[in-house]
Amino acid sequence: MKILDTHTCEFDKEFVKILERGKMDMGEVSSIVQSILEEIKNEGFGALQRHIARFDKWEAKSLQDLQISQTQCAKAYDDLPKDLKNALHLAYDRIYAFHQKQKQQTWIDCELNGTMLGSKLTPMERAGLYIPGGKAAYPSSVLMNAIPAIVAGVKEIVLCSPAPHNELNPLLLAALHLCNITESYKVGGASAIGLMAYGIDGVKKADVITGPGNIFVACAKKLVFGEVNIDMVAGPSEIAIIADKSANPQYVAYDLLSQAEHDEMASSILISDDIGLIEKVKAQIDEILPTMPRYEIAKKSIENRSVLIYTRDINESIEIANALAAEHLEILTHSPFDVLPYIKHAGAIFLGEYSSEPIGDYLAGPNHTLPTGGSARFFSPLSVEHFMKRSSIISFSRNALKQMGESCAILAECESLHAHAQAVLKRLDSIKE
């Protein structure tokens, strides 16, 4: 794991590479993904059948074969050990409570002249959720994507997840039951995005598609945007940690490794003004890494995508963290809340040594579907708002039009839109009569 020193002239060159960590070369896969999407759109189930045989290595003879049985989900839930079932319920309740606070209501303001202006909030009618299932199964992602849709009031939720060799993780099935998702399909990758975006053979198209995935999923979401709405285009997971000499090096090491074990492309970045801490963290990583069950994955991430950055002071640490705009940002300093006001860009911010990033992954409450690769500069975490849409409300009274109509007509005429102006002026004429 490299140590980069901001004091050296080589740092800027190396840091540019880190800033480009989120760049996914979609050019290499876009033609493949476009072809998959067009096949789904034009051929329906026949294309799905071919894709599943090719990528997931099993044969689906009908659309019904792709459906995940509610009975199967209920059995998986019933078979859960008590402590695991309790943990899932705890996560569900906390995630639900947090997202309930996000829900906004329709509002209308009335002015003295009789004008009424407002915003009408309406749930999406149908939401599509994508849950990855390649290197691991993520029941927590079911909760994080389904619950904000449920809170928003979405009536129809469809979920897709890959089933290699026609096998699904029981925990995923249990989470489907807990969230009462009654329509789900064993379809993965770009094919799943196509199914939810276009709808085929009786499966209705979604209005919005959310959820993480690999580069093929990300590319597919980007290509169908406009046909449907999406949450964001997310890449590999990442963590940045601002730490000072007060931080526990073992805690820091495990938090960095918690991202490295996700994916070979995951990034783990420590930013500290204490070289002693950096060296201790590096030693801890070297000691812990060989003991990890997902050693090969974590090793590639640590070797190729992770760095330890030695800064001049806490101010420079903050500056670098803001430049990174990381998906997860931990602040492990003596006074983390003093640092918080200066953080401008991060998907989720974890304050203090007891707020480990995995707490946010599972049951703190805020959503773990977060912007990656620096996109926290302009994207926000998945929320209830992603599953709702706004309509503006405008109602002018006779008096209001009399007060403001001529100004409106003047603005329309200055844009050479005569009919716009006349639509207002004719009404003003009738008021004056």
Side-chain angles (χ1 to χ4, degrees):
M1 193 173 187
K2 289 182 183 177
I3 297 178
L4 299 183
D5 188 340
T6 63
H7 304 72
T8 63
C9 56
E10 292 84 13
F11 175 77
D12 287 345
K13 182 179 178 181
E14 292 294 324
F15 191 57
V16 167
K17 296 177 185 177
I18 299 171
L19 292 178
E20 294 178 347
R21 71 199 181 282
K23 288 190 176 179
M24 295 181 285
D25 190 2
M26 289 190 181
E28 291 188 5
V29 303
S30 61
S31 60
I32 298 171
V33 172
Q34 185 67 59
S35 176
I36 289 172
L37 292 174
E38 288 177 1
E39 288 173 13
I40 295 291
K41 187 174 184 178
N42 296 328
E43 301 176 44
F45 174 72
L48 273 182
Q49 192 177 37
R50 289 198 308 276
H51 301 163
I52 288 166
R54 178 184 174 189
F55 298 115
D56 287 342
K57 311 302 182 187
W58 64 281
E59 183 181 355
K61 296 182 179 178
S62 68
L63 188 64
Q64 190 173 2
D65 288 345
L66 300 180
Q67 293 179 320
I68 299 174
S69 159
Q70 289 181 251
T71 303
Q72 188 182 12
C73 293
K75 183 180 185 307
Y77 173 81
D78 291 338
D79 289 346
L80 287 179
K82 185 177 179 180
D83 59 346
L84 184 50
K85 188 179 291 186
N86 289 341
L88 273 179
H89 276 273
L90 175 63
Y92 184 102
D93 291 344
R94 291 187 61 82
I95 296 165
Y96 190 97
F98 178 86
H99 288 82
Q100 186 70 40
K101 293 181 176 69
Q102 294 180 335
K103 189 173 182 180
Q104 298 183 36
Q105 304 296 326
T106 295
W107 60 271
I108 298 177
D109 279 349
C110 299
E111 299 177 14
L112 291 176
N113 61 13
T115 301
M116 291 189 292
L117 305 174
S119 187
K120 184 179 186 297
L121 279 85
T122 309
M124 301 285 190
E125 290 189 8
R126 184 170 171 85
L129 314 181
Y130 184 81
I131 309 300
K135 293 183 171 64
Y138 298 104
S140 59
S141 289
V142 176
L143 303 186
M144 292 291 183
N145 282 266
I147 291 172
I150 293 167
V151 170
V154 176
K155 298 300 182 186
E156 297 180 16
I157 299 175
V158 58
L159 181 146
C160 287
S161 188
H165 306 287
N166 199 17
E167 295 180 1
L168 284 169
N169 186 290
L171 275 176
L172 182 84
L173 298 175
L176 292 178
H177 179 76
L178 180 58
C179 294
N180 194 31
I181 294 177
T182 58
E183 184 183 0
S184 50
Y185 298 93
K186 294 177 282 188
V187 184
S191 304
I193 304 304
L195 171 63
M196 293 187 286
Y198 303 126
I200 62 161
D201 302 332
V203 178
K204 293 191 291 183
K205 65 172 291 184
D207 299 309
V208 59
I209 297 174
T210 72
N214 62 19
I215 190 171
F216 290 91
V217 171
C219 184
K221 287 171 68 178
K222 189 172 183 179
L223 289 173
V224 301
F225 177 61
E227 182 78 31
V228 297
N229 198 8
I230 62 171
D231 51 351
M232 65 191 81
V233 179
S237 190
E238 60 190 24
I239 188 172
I241 300 176
I242 296 176
D244 61 17
K245 63 182 180 181
S246 69
N248 183 315
Q250 186 181 63
Y251 294 173
V252 175
Y254 270 111
D255 289 354
L256 292 170
L257 290 168
S258 73
Q259 292 308 295
E261 70 179 350
H262 264 297
D263 189 310
E264 294 94 337
M265 299 296 288
S267 300
S268 301
I269 301 167
L270 172 62
I271 310 163
S272 179
D273 58 0
D274 188 84
I275 191 63
L277 175 73
I278 288 174
E279 290 172 346
K280 289 174 185 176
V281 169
K282 186 176 187 304
Q284 285 285 324
I285 289 174
D286 291 342
E287 180 181 337
I288 297 166
L289 184 57
T291 70
M292 295 177 62
R294 293 167 68 84
Y295 166 72
E296 291 296 337
I297 292 172
K299 180 174 180 286
K300 289 179 181 177
S301 169
I302 290 296
E303 288 180 348
N304 301 324
R305 307 274 295 184
S306 303
V307 294
L308 308 169
I309 300 177
Y310 175 39
T311 63
R312 293 176 176 83
D313 52 34
I314 186 64
N315 293 325
E316 189 175 42
S317 294
I318 293 168
E319 182 182 342
I320 286 173
N322 281 326
L324 287 169
E327 177 188 16
H328 308 100
L329 175 65
E330 287 188 4
I331 304 176
L332 301 179
T333 60
H334 182 264
S335 302
F337 280 90
D338 290 344
V339 175
L340 179 61
Y342 302 101
I343 300 302
K344 295 187 291 185
H345 309 300
I349 304 167
F350 301 79
L351 300 161
E353 67 177 352
Y354 300 115
S355 307
S356 177
E357 184 276 332
I359 289 289
D361 273 350
Y362 295 107
L363 51 67
N367 210 284
H368 79 194
T369 305
L370 301 166
T372 64
S375 63
R377 296 185 68 87
F378 46 84
F379 277 134
S380 300
L382 184 66
S383 70
V384 171
E385 193 169 314
H386 284 96
F387 296 96
M388 303 191 78
K389 57 188 178 67
R390 298 172 184 270
S391 300
S392 298
I393 297 171
I394 302 163
S395 176
F396 260 47
S397 67
R398 178 188 179 94
N399 286 339
L401 187 64
K402 191 173 181 180
Q403 289 175 13
M404 292 179 272
E406 287 189 10
S407 294
C408 180
I410 289 169
L411 291 171
E413 288 289 3
C414 85
E415 292 187 353
S416 300
L417 296 174
H418 180 70
H420 279 63
Q422 289 301 310
V424 175
L425 292 173
K426 292 302 179 184
R427 286 171 169 81
L428 285 177
D429 289 344
S430 68
I431 291 172
K432 293 173 184 176
E433 290 174 0

